[in-house]
Amino acid sequence: MTITIRDVKVIVTQPGKSQLVVVKLLTSEPGLYGLGCATFKQRFHAVRAAIEHHLRPFVIGRNVHNIEQIWQLAMNNGYWRNGPILNNAISGIDQALWDIKGKLAGMPVYQLLGGKVREGAHVYIHCDAPTKEQVVENIRARQAEGYRYFRVQIGIYGGVSSQMVKPHGAPHGAYFDPKAYMRDTLDMLAHVRAELGDEIELLHDVHERLTPIDAVQFAKDVEQFKLFFLEDVLPPEQHAWFANIRQQCATPLAMGELFNNPHEWQPLISNRQIDFVRMHISQMGGLTPARKVAAFADMFGVRTAWHGPSDTSPVGHAVNLHVDMSVPNFGIQEWYRPKQLDYDIFPGMPTVRNGYLYPNDQPGLGVDIDEALAANYPPQDEVIDWTQARLPDGTPVRP
Ligand code: MG
């Protein structure tokens, strides 16, 4: 029997720092619905409008079984494509269709993707702190909870610059000093290795805050600390510099959370210039493109490390995990530490035990939403500060 899409609802909720966008696809089958993550926290109004005004009328009446066909048509229906906002919107529809397909099959989505390659997914956790001593304290606290992979930063992106001299009349902004950031981070990594040894896995996110040649130098300088990976050492606009880094050191490189367009990941993978792809799955258009990228990357020895901080909804985290469970080239999964409220609003969201993330074995994505509870946490409008990055002299740069 043909089951069609009856309606599309957009639910935006903010139980914590992030405005989460979740799509609910209702079907012609009573009681059958799917959930998908369309979260783009900084521009959530635009994603909601794209779904409600453009995609909702486009998908109503279509056969829920035809995920690939709907994805292809939705991506091309607006003619201009591969951009943020529309990719997120399509992702919400796409993931909800996979959820529905799993429910119809009576299987978790990882079964539809080929079944389990592993029983749980290694996660890494953030241990950022203002001082190197506090970074070590944070790692110890997380070790006690069973974690084994730690992202370490001095302060937020760009470090903590107490000695910075700004010009008279310096405007508002998130200031940082790239040279101080590099010195402090190398000092912190040396301290962490000295205190905690070589057995723990360390990761670090440059967040594209260096000039290309400083990025080459920095990747060489951190090589001695044997990171699990160095993330976003270059901005997407400067990806050609990865070749220079590759020629000069064996620091494992992770890249991709800002990517929107296949042209951004294809050359880095096929030229073997990175080691981990870490796209934000809703930002690339959903589960449908993510599973293809995972298969493509596998052919070149590149592993997955999907973006997964708190600006991914619990539905999106479940999608990350279903891919993690089923692809041979899984590397690591970024994880945040959800609050009880997250589990209350999104019953069934994945859980961590002893440093491994586990899905439940419910059909579909395995995550539901308590809409009444979600409505108690409406999204707040805000002007984002941390993306207003500036050099000490006030020059705006990438965040
Ligand atoms: Mg990052």
Side-chain angles (χ1 to χ4, degrees), residues 50-88:
I51 298 167
E52 289 179 345
H53 297 291
H54 298 295
L55 287 174
R56 179 179 172 274
F58 175 75
V59 299
I60 285 178
R62 293 185 190 273
N63 186 337
V64 299
H65 289 288
N66 299 338
I67 300 177
E68 181 74 34
Q69 182 185 144
I70 291 172
W71 191 92
Q72 296 290 341
L73 285 167
M75 188 52 82
N76 291 299
N77 183 248
Y79 183 49
W80 277 279
R81 55 191 175 272
N82 296 317
I85 298 169
L86 191 63
N87 275 7
N88 300 104

Side-chain angles (χ1 to χ4, degrees), residues 124 126 151 157 205 207 231-232 257 278 307 309 334:
Y124 75 89
H126 295 197
R151 192 192 81 163
Y157 310 122
D205 189 352
H207 233 266
E231 174 182 348
D232 287 2
E257 71 186 54
R278 47 179 285 94
H307 190 242
E334 184 177 25

Side-chain angles (χ1 to χ4, degrees), residues 142-184:
R142 300 289 87 79
Q143 279 182 306
E145 296 170 5
Y147 292 102
R148 292 175 296 280
Y149 294 76
F150 310 97
R151 192 192 81 163
V152 289
Q153 316 277 138
I154 286 273
I156 181 123
Y157 310 122
V160 181
S161 301
S162 54
Q163 307 300 323
M164 199 159 37
V165 180
K166 298 180 195 169
H168 178 70
H172 170 79
Y175 283 80
F176 74 103
D177 178 339
K179 298 290 185 188
Y181 154 70
M182 287 192 286
R183 281 194 305 273
D184 292 347

Side-chain angles (χ1 to χ4, degrees), residues 241-291:
W241 283 81
F242 274 111
N244 302 67
I245 295 177
R246 224 26 166 189
Q247 287 158 6
Q248 300 193 46
C249 68
T251 296
L253 302 169
M255 184 71 186
E257 71 186 54
L258 285 154
F259 287 170
N260 298 285
N261 189 309
H263 285 302
E264 294 174 295
W265 58 75
Q266 281 167 2
L268 292 179
I269 294 170
S270 62
N271 293 324
R272 299 173 179 85
Q273 285 169 345
I274 56 172
D275 302 279
F276 297 89
V277 282
R278 47 179 285 94
M279 277 72 95
H280 185 102
I281 289 185
S282 84
Q283 190 66 35
M284 69 190 297
L287 176 53
T288 293
R291 70 192 188 109

Side-chain angles (χ1 to χ4, degrees), residues 17-18 20 124 126 151 157 231 257 278 280 306-314 317 320 333-337:
K17 284 186 301 185
S18 295
L20 306 174
Y124 75 89
H126 295 197
R151 192 192 81 163
Y157 310 122
E231 174 182 348
E257 71 186 54
R278 47 179 285 94
H280 185 102
W306 306 116
H307 190 242
S310 61
D311 62 354
T312 302
S313 77
H317 283 287
N320 287 344
Q333 180 57 58
E334 184 177 25
W335 182 241
Y336 74 120
R337 295 163 68 241

Side-chain angles (χ1 to χ4, degrees), residues 294-367:
F296 177 62
D298 185 37
M299 295 177 193
F300 296 94
V302 175
R303 290 180 281 168
T304 66
W306 306 116
H307 190 242
S310 61
D311 62 354
T312 302
S313 77
V315 178
H317 283 287
V319 169
N320 287 344
L321 182 57
H322 283 280
V323 183
D324 297 339
M325 296 298 286
S326 59
V327 300
N329 55 326
F330 167 71
I332 190 83
Q333 180 57 58
E334 184 177 25
W335 182 241
Y336 74 120
R337 295 163 68 241
K339 298 190 170 39
Q340 185 55 45
L341 183 57
D342 300 316
Y343 286 97
D344 293 342
I345 296 177
F346 295 96
M349 80 171 287
T351 53
V352 165
R353 294 191 303 279
N354 209 21
Y356 285 107
L357 191 61
Y358 295 93
N360 58 47
D361 50 13
Q362 295 299 304
L365 296 174
V367 180

